[in-house]
Amino acid sequence: MKIAYFPGCSVHSMAREYDRSARLVSNDLGVRLEEVTDWNCCGATAAHSVDHALTLELNGRNLAAVRRMGFDQVTTPCAGCFNRMKTVGLELKSSPLVKRDIPDVMHLLQFFTEQIGLDKIAGSVVRPARGLKLAAYYGCLITRPRKIAGFDDPEQPTSMDRILQAIGAETVKWSHKAECCGGGFAASQTSIIIDLAGQVLEAARQAGAQAIVVACPMCQANLDTRQKNIEEERGIIYGLPIIYFTQLIALAFGHSRREAGLRRLLVSPLPLLSRSGLA
Amino acid sequence: MHSDYRPMRLDEIDDSLQKEIRENCGVDVEMCMECGKCSGGCSNGHVFDYTPRKIIQLVKLNAEDSLMNMDALWICLSCHLCVDRCPSGIDTPRILDYMREKAYCKGLTTRQNITLFHELMLSSVRKSGRISELPLLLKFNWKTRQYMKDAFLGLKMLLKGKISFHSPGVKDRERIRYLFTKSSMKAGGARQ
């Protein structure tokens, strides 16, 4: 199987471990992720915040590149890029001026659950993640708004939980699965992140999770890099590793901690994962 | 009750903003039933000056000035919870994007830092077609004179290879520049 793959700026730099583990496990599952030719930034929060026309242009160019590669589907590991590309794709589809076919956009989580399938993922596990109690965290834009995302449940999503269960882990029931972490305000309004990401960490702690599993580079960055500030602010030591779901799949498929890029996470998952024999 | 009290009549209120939003965003605020699910769920509503339900009311009341000058315009996280939970499917984030763009064109903002960050991000995209995180953060801290902000965190991330000075950009730079000329306004152009 082959699919067009749009990594996005964060996944190409800050979240390289997400990119590498996604390619690694896709390869194991017999899927080739073909990087979109000469892709550009989706414009992120900045473009849609102050320049609607620019959002259309930037994403239109990427969608056209996917089409030129001969694909009618594209997947992206970033929730932000996913929301931007899919929103613009739907807007272009409804426009009478656009005659080209617009490719379907899906988040990597959707691609894994719907097209690769849980059975296939479970079938490739050589080292089950047994004994791990994880909080699957979806954030806002993977499943929201339902009219755009068209995937899973926007309030109580389960796709990532099912993937984690398929590799042998236990997932907790918790309140903040689909709450916002603060998104792109990490540098410009750090206090908002301390507030919102703090609520997410607290909810995961109360649910008894040993780690939070994510599918978005923004969620990862906010929960991981700001965890120290949040601990200072709240006077509670969380020590919760924030791990990409593809990293955990890679470990369950028998890859080393190095291949899974575990050392790149700020709150180290190594003590937890080596205790459970996964790394 | 005050003697000169007269109930507000919606048909006497100027509805030009309402029409403008219907035409430009395809959003009909008339559909709002004021249930407040948007405000109840809003991720950042606890620090907004106007919550989403009030924002829809402001559109109905043609209160363009209040909308353009409100803080909520800049600290909305675009988490899309309001539109997702709205029984009428009113796309409040789209209205906010529209009003923010208008406010930005007039040079209005309540949060200089956020506007500056947007501008720096777009200038990075204009230059290389992509965002390079480290130069962006350094520029932001420099311009806001927070020279030591996150210095320790940044160093740690640099050592872990999480952020780097060099990240490859788009090859077809000319095309990117062309896309920016097609953008309706200044974010990528005049305010550089």
Side-chain angles (χ1 to χ4, degrees), chain A residues 44-107:
Chain A
T45 316
H48 81 78
S49 284
V50 291
D51 197 337
H52 184 67
L54 185 63
T55 299
L56 293 178
E57 294 296 337
L58 289 170
N59 289 284
R61 177 176 178 270
N62 287 330
L63 290 168
V66 172
R67 204 78 199 117
R68 265 199 306 278
M69 288 165 73
F71 287 101
D72 52 11
Q73 279 184 329
V74 55
T75 185
T76 171
C78 173
C81 302
F82 164 67
N83 174 269
R84 280 300 95 209
M85 267 207 287
K86 192 150 187 190
T87 306
V88 169
L90 293 174
E91 192 167 333
L92 292 177
K93 255 183 201 173
S94 66
S95 155
L97 297 169
V98 180
K99 291 196 189 79
R100 281 186 311 239
D101 297 329
I102 307 292
D104 283 330
V105 184
M106 64 176 83
H107 187 269

Side-chain angles (χ1 to χ4, degrees), chain A residues 201-276:
Chain A
L201 289 172
E202 178 59 25
R205 183 185 74 94
Q206 286 185 16
Q210 297 165 320
I212 299 178
V213 188
V214 292
C216 165
M218 287 284 54
C219 300
Q220 204 284 334
N222 287 339
L223 294 171
D224 195 14
T225 63
R226 297 293 174 200
Q227 200 166 132
K228 229 180 170 65
N229 307 78
I230 293 165
E231 287 173 341
E232 279 159 18
E233 176 82 18
R234 292 187 166 238
I236 301 170
I237 303 294
Y238 291 106
L240 283 170
I242 315 295
I243 316 169
Y244 290 108
F245 77 105
T246 47
Q247 290 182 296
L248 283 173
I249 302 178
L251 294 172
F253 284 5
H255 292 288
S256 66
R257 56 173 79 174
R258 197 192 171 87
E259 285 173 301
L262 295 184
R263 284 181 60 98
R264 289 173 56 87
L265 308 177
L266 257 61
V267 178
S268 175
L270 288 172
L272 172 71
L273 296 176
S274 52
R275 223 175 15 227
S276 53

Side-chain angles (χ1 to χ4, degrees), chain A residues 10 13-14 17 38-39 41 48-52 57 146 155 187 189-190 195-196 226 263-264, chain B residues 46 77-78 84-85 97 100-101 111 129-130 133 149-150 160-162 170-172 182-183 185:
Chain A
S10 291
S13 58
M14 217 162 64
E17 64 274 23
D38 205 30
W39 56 271
C41 172
H48 81 78
S49 284
V50 291
D51 197 337
H52 184 67
E57 294 296 337
R146 64 193 83 194
E155 303 286 350
Q189 286 292 317
T190 312
D195 175 11
L196 297 182
R226 297 293 174 200
R263 284 181 60 98
R264 289 173 56 87
Chain B
H46 54 292
L77 297 155
S78 307
D84 188 66
R85 287 192 183 166
D97 282 352
R100 196 183 304 110
E101 188 165 336
R111 304 266 176 159
R130 293 180 195 166
E133 281 149 345
K149 183 175 186 269
D150 296 327
K160 285 201 173 257
K162 277 233 138 206
V170 170
K171 287 194 196 89
D172 192 355
K182 298 224 316 194
S183 107
M185 39 148 304

